[in-house]
Amino acid sequence: MSRDPVPAFDAYKHLNLSINPDGSCTRNFEYPIVVPDPDPSPGKLTASKDITINLETGVTVRIFRPTNLPSNDNTIARLPILIHLHGSGWVLYPANSPANSRGCSQMASELTAIIVSVNYRLAPEHRLPTQYDDALEALLWVKRQAVDKTNGEPWLRDYADFSRCYIFGSSNGANLAFQLALRSLDHDLTPLKIDGSVFYQPFYGGKARTKAELKNFADPVMPVPAIDAMWELSLPKGVDRDHRYCNPVGYLPQKEKVGRLGRCLVIGYGGDTLVDHQQDFVEMLVTAGVRVEAKFDDAGFHGIELVDPRRAVALLNMIREFIN
């Protein structure tokens, strides 16, 4: 007998994906690619530019800077850096999608910060840990800009405060952000300093169904079969959903290393299909001794900030409080 309450559900149809014989997928949807606008003209929230950080893999970052730069005694004030890892369900959207571009622009303007949005490669064409590797490469690239006073990227060299760098991730991007924070401990980032990490609606899972998954099995936003499909397309071949890339409990054997992380903020919603896994993630961080602040609102669902402007403002306010 099936353990799932709704056995008939076409996850790939829900995701608008077709799986090809070679293991790649066809994304059966179109969206406008947002091109960067490097001109900081009055009336615009931000300016943005794309930079290829690896010619071999084609991985790029998009940098957003506020149009209005704060000054102090005629000197431009240095701005915090946010390494931004967007939500894509691992397989769906690149960083230059309209929703992510709009969110990064608003974040740069409202937080008065430099946003470095990582256009990591997507699964299934590139399975985990490729995305973790791409995120780390972006972080190390930012560090190199701090070191190279002559040829460093001007927007970072001239405007960024490298001692105030934060890692932010949404959905599977929060999963990425945690891995990036963990991997950063293996590198000398001087003069770059990670001052904290924000994990928004982190995308985790596990083999055993949780109460929230059973309750929200056919949720219109995050139905469980679609979540299963995203993991099936992104995890390394041969591993199951209890692998640490998916199940945060898998990091407990590394709790000494996890405990060396800096401040963390975890944000979630009670109506999210993934909420139980997110709370397992928080419990894992607490067990490891991390200074973690958890903010869970009983009302709300996965991606609510994309459709409710008030929640988008509330999210920005929480991030602002954390970084200030």
Side-chain angles (χ1 to χ4, degrees):
M1 180 176 288
S2 171
R3 61 179 176 163
D4 295 331
V6 186
F9 188 102
D10 189 335
Y12 295 109
K13 183 176 180 181
H14 177 86
L15 295 170
N16 283 319
L17 299 177
S18 301
I19 308 305
N20 302 318
D22 64 357
S24 65
C25 74
T26 299
R27 296 162 179 87
N28 301 309
F29 50 86
E30 294 184 3
Y31 52 86
I33 296 295
V34 179
V35 298
D37 181 1
D39 176 25
S41 299
K44 297 178 181 176
L45 289 180
T46 58
S48 58
K49 66 167 77 170
D50 285 350
I51 297 172
T52 301
I53 62 172
N54 187 317
L55 293 173
E56 186 176 331
T57 64
V59 172
T60 62
V61 295
R62 179 166 293 184
I63 304 176
F64 295 81
R65 49 147 284 200
T67 298
N68 297 318
L69 295 168
S71 61
N72 184 13
D73 296 330
N74 296 320
T75 301
I76 293 175
R78 293 277 174 173
L79 308 183
I81 304 167
L82 269 76
I83 309 294
H84 187 283
L85 298 153
H86 70 288
S88 68
W90 301 118
V91 300
L92 296 172
Y93 304 108
N96 55 11
S97 68
N100 189 59
S101 297
R102 185 168 57 249
C104 286
S105 181
Q106 186 179 24
M107 190 175 285
S109 176
E110 292 292 328
L111 301 181
T112 317
I114 303 288
I115 308 298
V116 179
S117 176
V118 185
N119 197 13
Y120 55 82
R121 289 170 285 176
L122 296 177
E125 293 81 5
H126 306 280
R127 289 177 176 265
L128 290 166
T130 299
Q131 294 75 17
Y132 300 150
D133 297 339
D134 292 347
L136 178 62
E137 184 159 31
L139 179 67
L140 296 178
W141 176 84
V142 170
K143 178 244 171 121
R144 290 197 299 273
Q145 310 318 299
V147 172
D148 191 343
K149 303 295 185 184
T150 304
N151 300 311
E153 160 52 42
W155 286 5
L156 291 172
R157 183 191 65 207
D158 298 341
Y159 307 135
D161 181 351
F162 290 99
S163 70
R164 296 177 64 211
C165 182
Y166 300 86
I167 298 172
F168 172 85
S170 175
S171 189
N172 72 292
N175 178 311
L176 265 170
F178 172 69
Q179 264 281 343
L180 178 58
L182 208 56
R183 288 184 173 204
S184 73
L185 299 173
D186 300 327
H187 298 268
D188 179 5
L189 298 176
T190 310
L192 190 70
K193 181 178 182 292
I194 305 296
D195 205 31
S197 302
V198 180
F199 309 120
Y200 180 60
Q201 306 179 112
F203 191 99
Y204 284 108
K207 284 169 64 177
R209 296 291 191 223
T210 67
K211 288 182 179 179
E213 285 174 329
L214 293 172
K215 178 183 176 183
N216 301 314
F217 192 87
D219 180 78
V221 178
M222 290 287 280
V224 170
I227 296 169
D228 289 349
M230 288 186 271
W231 284 121
E232 184 181 321
L233 293 171
S234 59
L235 283 170
K237 296 212 169 181
V239 308
D240 62 31
R241 289 198 305 277
D242 280 339
H243 189 279
R244 68 183 183 280
Y245 292 171
C246 178
N247 190 336
V249 175
Y251 287 100
L252 284 175
Q254 301 181 49
K255 68 178 183 180
E256 184 278 327
K257 183 177 183 181
V258 173
R260 288 159 46 205
L261 292 177
R263 297 183 305 133
C264 295
L265 171 63
V266 183
I267 304 168
Y269 302 105
D272 190 341
T273 309
L274 302 174
V275 67
D276 293 332
H277 296 298
Q278 293 162 3
Q279 291 176 341
D280 286 344
F281 174 61
V282 171
E283 188 175 329
M284 182 273 296
L285 293 175
V286 170
T287 300
V290 176
R291 281 190 301 153
V292 57
E293 183 179 2
K295 294 192 174 185
F296 284 84
D297 189 329
D298 288 340
F301 50 84
H302 204 86
I304 191 173
E305 80 288 353
L306 300 175
V307 295
D308 185 341
R310 295 170 302 173
R311 293 306 184 103
V313 170
L315 172 61
L316 287 172
N317 287 337
M318 285 187 275
I319 299 170
R320 182 185 291 108
E321 289 174 9
F322 180 76
I323 69 176
N324 289 335

